[in-house]
Amino acid sequence: MDVRAQLRGFIVDNFMMGQDATVLTASGSLLELGIIDSTGVLELVGFLEETFQITVEDDDLVPDNLDSVDNLVKYIQRKSNS
Amino acid sequence: MCGIAGYFKLNDTTDLPDEQLIGRMIKILHHRGPDEIGAYLDDLCVLGQARLSIIDLSTGSQPLCNEDGSIWISYNGEIYNYIELRDELEKAGHRFRTRSDTEVIVHAYEQWGRECLSRFNGQFAFAIYDKKQGSLFIARDRLGIRPVFYTTHNGRFIFASEIKSIFCDLSVPRHLDLKGLDEIFTWWTTAPPRTAFDGINELEAGCYLEIKNGQVSNHRWWSMDFPTEFDRSRSIDSWAEELHELLVDSVRLRLRADVPVGAYLSGGLDSSATTALIKHFTETRVETFSIAFHDKAYDESEFQREMADHLGTNHHQVSCSYQDIAENFPHVIWHAERPIVRTAPTPLYMLSALVRRNDFKVVLTGEGADEIFGGYDLFKETLIRKFWSRRPDSKWRPLLLRKLYPTLPLSPGRARFYLETFYKKGLSQTDEYLFSHLPRINTTVKLKEYFTDDVKAQIGDHPSLEVFGRDLPDQFDRWHHLLRAQYLEARSLLSGYLLSSQGDRVSAANSVEGRYPFLDHRVVELGSRIPPWYKIRGLNEKAVLKRAMKAELPSRIVNRVKQPYMAPDSNSFFCDNRPAYIEELLAEESLNRAGLFKPSAVNKLKTKCGRLSHAHLSFKDNMSFIGILSAQLMVQRFVDQFEPPSPPTSDEYSVWHDDRRGI
């Protein structure tokens, strides 16, 4: 399964239990859409580290890396290549 | 503590039901008043009472009347200044037959009419039947410490301390009010008069009802108020001194009882303060009671022990495990009579059982200090967000938020960006009345995602966000932001959750009466006059209270970082040996039958909550799980399986006064 599909699946199953999955667009802000809250990010980081074998540094916790599916995909690719 | 119940005829064509009904209504309130039961009946009105005897054990039976039997009362609560009021009333010519505070209310009503309420210092809900006027007068204390609910049905007005008592009339419809559920999934409580049940009303704190000529009218007699200007010349020490003197008096008054009085000790500032005042300023021998948690993330027993040793009290402790929470939760919902989004009332239910096992009926607690003196993180958040909103692009202003929540295992450090963005939501809405509560509300409303489409359609555009903004005091917009937040917190969470689901209902469940020195109205009104900058100084909460209590408490207690009282939430329901009801109520079939929540969504939530430890579950997921489970329990206990008890036999009544002519 590709990175994008894995990510989407995780977000829909874990943060959007009661919501319509079409709300989750590729570039929509996870925070502004109310999908992830301040504790949810820890869960997301845990998932990224386990699933994609990367280490998320504290300095990486910025919206440019984590706040949409598009940004997450780019971030994971960048980390996996480095 | 007692239970009251009764009904009143609204038109001539209605017959009052036979005495079996009032018997059942009192019997189901047995936990509130196990010592005695009584009833008064005539052709217009029926009053019932289940008594927990605390003052005047021998002659204080109820219902009770005035000299000529024209005024009858059924009463739950305490009027602490009854001795002073009695002196005043005797001088005015009233003759007393008992030593009870109940009789003081009757004569105060005769003397001052409705105005008697403002003379009472206490916690109460009562019904007075005035035969000459043909009226019923029902009043509730200023802050909503004691409850009363009512409905009109088949030409009758019916009231009781708890909703289950009203439901003993099986012709009264029993179903959840979906708009009420929507309000709970916004504010953690409904806005009175709405309750979690369709057609059942709650009399709001500081209000009274008059029922006369077939009409029911609702009036407010007290409201929390704040100045718009403060005296800047007065020092914090001067305020602290006045506060200390008043707290001593408030504690003294609350020790008036003909039975021993105990004290809760949480390990925090407030209950340490009330206990220290008992010890230092009264002759009472103090016994203290605390909750310890197996899960150390919630446990404060180290501080409880320190305080008990410091004061030399005889200390009792109940230890609470995950399984305890899971097993006791259905009892808590039966007593709370509304869905809740936290398990925190459950350990308090166990604590009152401990108190009762030790033969205590009365406990003093520290409840209310956080609301009156600015103890909650929500208040600090409000000030930081207000400060930040003046420079929304500031990089360093939001960093103050990191200073909040240092005690939570979910330290915000790693997720700084998310925390900031979370709180930034609504930052421009500083003029809205609920500005202070937006972060909490924004998390809570996510629970509504689980509603079925049918429920959503029935709720429609019900304005849950606006319900506490409908009748704000005229000056509200001119108040300091902290004061607006305090007002809103007292109006919503204090009365609708802390004093009820987590207060009266879980202590009354075990026949224990809580007394709250910080909620003496003189303390509340002094708190309103103290400038906001002496309540929260920088980010030091309850600064003026700490100053007032400094000499009596160990510095480690005064200076410790406030730990919000919480209990293990959804993890409790996935422990080993968990009770079977959890799976049953969350099974697809049960969910479909209740029709409230989407089974597929609940199933995903259940899987997630069972898989992740607390440290990895968000507030939203925890609240969703507890909210859904409690709503399912509500349907099971009150809608599907409700059964009234059998009525008492005639020899069980201490008072049976039958003035009916129709028989």
Side-chain angles (χ1 to χ4, degrees), chain B residues 339-635:
Chain B
I340 52 181
V341 296
R342 291 259 172 104
T343 59
T346 318
L348 283 158
Y349 172 74
M350 295 171 61
L351 183 59
S352 67
L354 174 74
V355 169
R356 191 66 196 183
R357 280 200 299 280
N358 283 277
D359 291 327
F360 280 75
K361 292 177 174 179
V362 181
V363 281
L364 262 61
T365 91
E367 212 65 77
D370 285 324
E371 288 78 2
I372 311 303
F373 299 106
Y376 289 127
D377 287 334
L378 179 141
F379 297 137
K380 291 193 217 172
E381 270 169 37
T382 303
L383 297 179
I384 295 171
R385 287 165 60 240
K386 180 74 176 75
F387 170 70
W388 180 14
S389 73
R390 292 201 289 268
R391 291 272 185 283
D393 297 327
S394 165
K395 289 279 177 275
W396 60 271
R397 290 188 182 220
L399 296 184
L400 280 173
L401 286 168
R402 294 168 71 187
K403 291 199 143 194
L404 298 180
Y405 312 117
T407 57
L408 286 179
L410 310 168
S411 158
R414 224 189 160 191
R416 192 191 80 204
F417 154 74
Y418 280 87
L419 191 73
E420 289 166 17
T421 314
F422 176 66
Y423 284 114
K424 198 162 189 175
K425 221 172 170 182
L427 201 63
S428 59
Q429 295 165 267
T430 53
D431 289 338
E432 289 193 16
Y433 89 100
L434 43 58
F435 172 75
S436 55
H437 283 60
L438 277 173
R440 183 194 290 162
I441 289 173
N442 283 335
T443 303
T444 313
V445 294
K446 308 247 178 64
L447 274 65
K448 301 178 195 182
E449 289 168 8
Y450 291 90
F451 281 151
T452 58
D453 292 342
D454 182 44
V455 166
K456 283 183 194 161
Q458 289 188 59
I459 293 166
D461 54 2
H462 178 66
S464 290
L465 287 173
E466 307 304 324
V467 289
F468 286 103
R470 286 181 301 215
D471 55 350
L472 295 171
D474 294 342
Q475 298 289 320
F476 182 86
D477 290 340
R478 298 186 55 212
W479 292 345
H480 185 281
H481 265 85
L482 174 62
L483 310 180
R484 290 189 218 173
Q486 282 185 267
Y487 173 89
L488 210 49
E489 186 71 354
R491 189 91 189 271
S492 58
L493 208 75
L494 177 64
S495 164
Y497 175 74
L498 292 172
L499 291 176
S500 47
S501 302
Q502 199 168 298
D504 172 271
R505 318 311 289 281
V506 284
S507 56
N510 289 303
S511 315
V512 170
E513 173 177 290
R515 296 184 173 187
Y516 312 95
F518 289 110
L519 293 177
D520 184 310
H521 70 282
R522 298 169 306 164
V523 176
V524 174
E525 287 168 1
L526 173 64
S528 292
R529 293 197 303 277
I530 296 174
W533 52 86
Y534 288 153
K535 292 177 187 164
I536 300 182
R537 289 194 112 181
L539 287 182
N540 178 21
E541 78 281 357
K542 292 186 285 198
V544 67
L545 178 61
K546 288 176 182 169
R547 185 69 63 101
M549 293 305 304
K550 201 171 57 179
E552 272 133 88
L553 298 175
S555 59
R556 212 162 79 100
I557 298 282
V558 176
N559 296 327
R560 75 178 275 226
V561 174
K562 181 179 162 57
Q563 177 167 347
Y565 167 67
M566 285 180 71
D569 280 311
S570 51
N571 278 170
S572 307
F573 300 93
F574 295 93
C575 62
D576 297 335
N577 303 320
R578 58 184 177 271
Y581 77 87
I582 304 160
E583 281 300 324
E584 285 163 22
L585 289 176
L586 299 181
E588 188 170 349
E589 191 204 337
S590 306
L591 290 161
N592 278 333
R593 202 169 49 236
L596 299 172
F597 306 107
K598 287 184 272 196
S600 61
V602 174
N603 200 38
K604 282 185 195 167
L605 175 69
K606 196 175 70 180
T607 307
K608 180 176 178 182
C609 291
R611 183 168 51 84
L612 292 176
S613 71
H614 180 80
H616 292 102
L617 275 174
S618 64
F619 287 129
K620 171 190 156 188
D621 291 333
N622 269 312
M623 286 199 287
S624 301
F625 187 85
I626 307 302
I628 290 166
L629 185 61
S630 60
Q632 288 290 102
L633 278 163
M634 290 279 290
V635 173

Side-chain angles (χ1 to χ4, degrees), chain B residues 246-309:
Chain B
L246 199 49
L247 284 174
V248 170
D249 193 56
S250 170
V251 166
R252 274 203 188 118
L253 280 184
R254 277 158 186 76
L255 292 172
R256 282 181 172 172
D258 298 332
V259 295
V261 176
Y264 282 173
L265 208 49
S266 73
L269 177 70
D270 312 334
S271 57
S272 297
T274 49
T275 311
L277 291 171
I278 303 174
K279 182 78 184 179
H280 295 146
F281 293 93
T282 74
E283 299 301 311
T284 310
R285 202 174 136 264
V286 197
E287 302 223 3
T288 46
F289 299 87
S290 296
I291 306 162
F293 287 102
H294 290 204
D295 185 335
K296 295 297 166 209
Y298 302 90
D299 189 58
E300 296 183 74
S301 48
E302 176 195 344
F303 296 97
Q304 295 157 358
R305 177 55 61 191
E306 174 170 347
M307 200 57 215
D309 289 347

